[in-house]
Amino acid sequence: MSGFYKAANALNSHARRNARPSPLPDHEVAMPGKSRTTSPKQIVAAIFAGLIGLASPALAQTTAAADAVYMAGAERVHVGGLMRETAQRIAVASCFHDAGIETAVYAGQITQGIADYDSYLVALTEGDAAYGIDTAEETRKLVSTIYSVTSQWDRFKEAALGRLNGEGPTDGTDYVSRHNLNMMHTSKYLLREIIAEYAIPPALLQSDAFTLDILTRQPALANQISKEACGLITGNTVMGSTSRYVKSVDRFDASMGALINGFAGLGVSAPPTAEVRAALEDIAADWAVLKTRLDQVAGSNDVALALDIDRQFAAINAKFAALIPAYVTASKAGI
């Protein structure tokens, strides 16, 4: 794909500088490192597992319950990815809504996005069988991180609801416009913490977790590109800048190549089945068509172009939503 190796090498270089989660905005997101060194937690888990046969039935039962918690690791990664995606969906809708474009449609998307994000926080905190998470989060560090995300989310949600009540920006740089990338970054950082906690073989291999991370990032990047296209076309310079737009397009393009072909250096596995590969290639074909529209954004003030881009991305994201469960299932194949 155009620019794939150039962008991928840039991502690989960035990954080496950011092997641990770091508070970067998502337009400067660090790709996960490729280290597979056994952690102290994994060593202890292995030793503990070896002692189960000598333990009491009550202890074995407790261990089984703990194992069940970690079996939902892939599902938690998926929900973390949905949070990242939804933060940018609200920003896209806000950009169109502020510009007076199909306001009823995009007001509905803001409302739905808020309800969705709230449900994701509940699922990660308390568990929700609808998302495949049957237990509440008990890890102190993750509980604390979720609380921090919730605090920032409450402020962002208040601002998003305000614009629906006629409290839109007076200077074009309201809270939603200024902080949507920070909101996506906060969701991204939570996702890194989830991976650090739950990527423990055999329940969830690091390679599977990293691949899910990149896969679920694509819909978020799609929304980010759509938001930036809207900003550039409507003159909302806070929502969209040329440099950020170009980086987002290149990152989406490079990640499509990594998902289809695998990229061991970045911890991205090849598609788990021929059917999944075919589905990714179908998305890549849609992406190739859409890129011709994206190339027309520079210098344009065509609202119809912005709407067409957003609708094509919506179709691509629907295909990603249908594909992600196959990766969640594949992550459990070796258990």
Side-chain angles (χ1 to χ4, degrees), residues 93-94 97 101-114 164:
S94 296
H97 188 273
I101 301 168
E102 297 193 6
T103 54
V105 171
Y106 287 105
Q109 290 188 15
I110 292 172
T111 302
Q112 185 61 56
I114 289 170
L164 298 182

Side-chain angles (χ1 to χ4, degrees), residues 127-206:
D128 187 336
Y131 295 106
I133 302 172
D134 295 325
T135 58
E137 182 57 64
E138 296 183 353
T139 305
R140 182 174 299 178
K141 185 176 182 180
L142 268 176
V143 170
S144 176
T145 304
I146 294 170
Y147 177 79
S148 296
V149 172
T150 302
S151 296
Q152 184 172 343
W153 165 244
D154 286 343
R155 177 68 184 90
F156 188 83
K157 176 171 66 172
E158 179 185 5
L161 287 171
R163 62 200 326 123
L164 298 182
N165 297 324
E167 303 166 9
T170 58
D171 61 354
T173 57
D174 67 304
Y175 191 90
V176 173
S177 297
R178 287 183 286 112
H179 289 278
N180 68 82
L181 284 176
N182 289 339
M183 194 68 241
M184 189 168 72
H185 147 64
T186 301
S187 304
K188 177 260 306 189
Y189 186 74
L190 171 59
L191 183 55
R192 296 297 190 270
E193 293 293 325
I194 291 171
I195 290 174
E197 176 66 26
Y198 283 92
I200 300 178
L204 180 63
L205 299 179
Q206 284 190 351

Side-chain angles (χ1 to χ4, degrees), residues 7-30:
N9 286 337
L11 292 174
N12 201 1
S13 175
H14 197 68
R16 289 193 294 270
R17 297 195 301 271
N18 296 273
R20 296 179 61 83
S22 59
L24 295 173
D26 226 51
H27 59 281
E28 296 292 342
V29 66

Side-chain angles (χ1 to χ4, degrees), residues 57-79:
L59 179 58
Q61 187 175 23
T62 301
T63 304
D67 288 344
V69 171
Y70 282 90
M71 285 291 288
E75 286 81 358
R76 289 179 183 272
V77 172
H78 184 192
V79 170

